[in-house]
Amino acid sequence: MTGDGTRAVRAGLPEPRANEPALPGPAFAAHYHLPGEVSGPYTYGREANPTWAALETAIAELEAPGDPGPAAEAVAFPSGMAAISAVFLSQLRPGDTAVLPSDGYQLLPALRERLEAFGIAVRTAPTAGDAQLAALEGARLLWIESPSNPGLDVCDIRRLAEAAHRRGALVAVDNTLATPLGQRPLDLGADFSVASGTKALTGHGDLLLGYVAARDPRLTAAVRTWRKVAGAIPGPMEAWLAHRSLATLQLRVDRQAAGALALAEALRDRPDVTGLRHPGLPSDPAHDLARQQMRGGRFGCVVSFVLPDRAHAERFLAALRLVDEATSFGGVRSTAERRGRWGGDAVPEGFIRFSVGVEDTEDLVADVLAALDEAARPDGNAARAEENAARADDGSARPDEGPAHP
Ligand SMILES: *Cc1c(COP(=O)(O)O)cnc(C)c1O
């Protein structure tokens, strides 16, 4: 079996054919020629598209490399939330019970409300300490997020999956933060690996995408049928851009993981930084478990930490020069935000979620340390903030903060 980088550059590509491109361009089609009886994979655009099919093969090869071909199937969605919803809504019926993390992605509580309105019972427990184990009795679906966003806790996927399977529950893992190069949930016993492809998987911050991968064809068939019924289909252009981005996945995740570890190490001894978390940091409470179940030293690009208060955090973000203040994570350009501004996560006011890009590590660490120094001096920060504002005016823009999520 080939290595991750070798697999990533060829994943999902057709056999080389004379005079054909390596990765065929996006197929824009609402319908396909269909003379006579209904036959073949491509009939109507809501059901199948060759650009999705190539991307789905690529993702399946990364989530579950087989020899030959992938040992799983993937189904692509227009966003991570579309993929997550597809698993819940295709698998659960009224009267079923789902177990969610209490510290997972910020839209899980909104999803929980919808599930409960449909007569599905929902229990939650924290990711850390495998606390979801205690909530499994009678459950139909266990939803795991490891490492969790934004708190970066890790749980033992294999242990939870075995316990859930003994009770007859299905297991799904949100693999967004790790990417399939950093963690293979299906190999750890999960039935579904689900992710937002918006983040590190595609890495350029220019598209939204999601996917569901599973080994059992009955599970992927149910998810595929759900996609057709809900009509939650990815655009061919986004699917093609995503596939194109997979070729650099290994380069990006390795670089970002190394940068994140270097940043975490640089922050470790700062008196103004508390609550520092990064699963790659040897002193992190999640490190030993992360090292067991994650792959290749790829502990993700996110570092989280807490500054003394909201104003301090805002001064820090304004003083950064090489880091965009923006949400999301996993992009080639570093971003950071004060997570509490959304109101959806149980985090302190000064909590920063920092996503390390592919900049030169020394430049990035120097910028962060300088911004921390500025932020520690409430008055000394004004000059740098003004300079940043001037740069935004002359076109080398820092993006404005958008309106809050619903
Ligand atoms: C961003 C994110 C999602 C949602 O993905 P979208 O592509 O924004 O819909 C789900 N889970 C995690 C862990 C995420 O970070």
Side-chain angles (χ1 to χ4, degrees):
M1 187 150 317
T2 54
D4 288 343
T6 310
R7 194 173 308 112
V9 296
R10 296 200 174 272
L13 299 187
E15 284 300 313
R17 295 241 308 267
N19 312 117
E20 297 278 334
L23 175 63
F28 296 105
H31 55 83
Y32 303 84
H33 291 302
L34 189 62
E37 295 300 311
V38 175
S39 66
Y42 303 117
T43 57
Y44 184 59
R46 193 178 356 84
E47 293 200 26
N49 173 292
T51 311
W52 312 342
L55 173 66
E56 288 168 349
T57 303
I59 290 171
E61 283 177 18
L62 299 177
E63 284 280 353
D67 206 3
E73 235 184 283
V75 186
F77 285 88
S79 68
M81 282 313 297
I84 291 171
S85 304
V87 172
F88 282 103
L89 298 172
S90 67
Q91 300 303 319
L92 297 176
R93 301 283 176 274
D96 285 345
T97 297
V99 176
L100 270 55
S102 54
D103 51 351
Y105 184 60
Q106 62 165 0
L107 275 180
L108 291 185
L111 184 64
R112 173 188 190 153
E113 269 180 42
R114 305 303 190 283
L115 293 174
E116 287 174 340
F118 293 143
I120 294 159
V122 176
R123 297 181 199 136
T124 63
T127 298
D130 301 340
Q132 288 176 303
L133 278 176
L136 289 178
E137 207 51 57
R140 169 76 189 132
L141 177 68
L142 167 63
W143 190 269
I144 291 170
E145 190 176 306
S146 181
S148 60
N149 168 24
L152 300 177
D153 274 316
V154 169
C155 59
D156 187 335
I157 295 174
R158 195 181 289 283
R159 179 177 180 218
L160 281 161
E162 281 171 6
H165 286 156
R166 275 200 300 278
R167 292 167 175 82
L170 290 166
V171 178
V173 175
D174 184 327
N175 205 29
T176 302
L177 200 136
T179 84
L181 294 195
Q183 179 167 274
R184 288 194 200 137
L186 302 179
D187 285 354
L188 298 169
D191 300 287
F192 295 101
S193 180
V194 186
S196 168
T198 311
K199 316 283 173 59
L201 185 81
T202 60
H204 291 68
D206 53 8
L207 63 90
L208 283 96
L209 199 94
Y211 69 84
V212 176
R215 287 184 198 272
D216 182 341
R218 287 168 304 180
L219 296 179
T220 42
V223 167
R224 216 175 270 288
T225 302
W226 172 263
R227 179 177 68 180
K228 180 168 79 174
V229 171
I233 55 168
M237 190 69 202
E238 282 75 10
W240 183 83
L241 281 168
H243 197 164
R244 181 184 189 274
S245 304
L246 292 183
T248 55
L249 181 60
Q250 190 208 35
L251 294 176
R252 287 184 283 109
V253 296
D254 282 353
R255 173 75 166 235
Q256 288 172 282
L261 180 57
L263 177 62
E265 275 168 349
L267 293 177
R268 207 169 34 184
D269 300 324
R270 295 276 316 192
D272 41 357
V273 168
T274 56
L276 176 66
R277 295 299 304 267
H278 175 68
L281 204 56
S283 56
D284 191 278
H287 181 67
D288 288 341
L289 190 50
R291 219 175 37 162
Q292 278 173 40
Q293 73 185 9
M294 297 181 76
R295 305 179 61 250
R298 300 178 185 128
F299 300 109
C301 60
V302 180
V303 177
S304 62
F305 54 94
V306 180
L307 294 176
D309 55 42
R310 173 179 172 160
H312 197 118
E314 286 171 348
R315 289 196 302 274
F316 166 68
L317 292 167
L320 290 164
R321 287 179 172 159
L322 301 179
V323 181
D324 295 332
E325 186 174 352
T327 194
S328 200
F329 61 84
V332 289
R333 285 172 289 277
S334 291
T335 57
E337 70 170 335
R338 196 178 67 79
R339 195 60 187 167
R341 64 181 174 168
W342 298 105
D345 302 296
V347 293
E349 284 289 332
F351 183 98
I352 301 288
R353 187 181 68 182
F354 198 107
S355 171
V356 174
V358 301
E359 297 89 354
D360 291 293
T361 303
E362 312 81 78
D363 293 342
L364 189 65
V365 169
D367 191 50
V368 170
L369 295 180
L372 282 172
D373 289 343
E374 299 254 4
R377 290 179 278 116
D379 304 326
N381 190 41
R384 207 170 186 208
E386 263 169 35
E387 213 180 296
N388 277 329
R391 277 165 62 246
D393 287 344
D394 75 9
S396 51
R398 293 173 59 82
D400 291 339
E401 280 182 33
H405 276 187

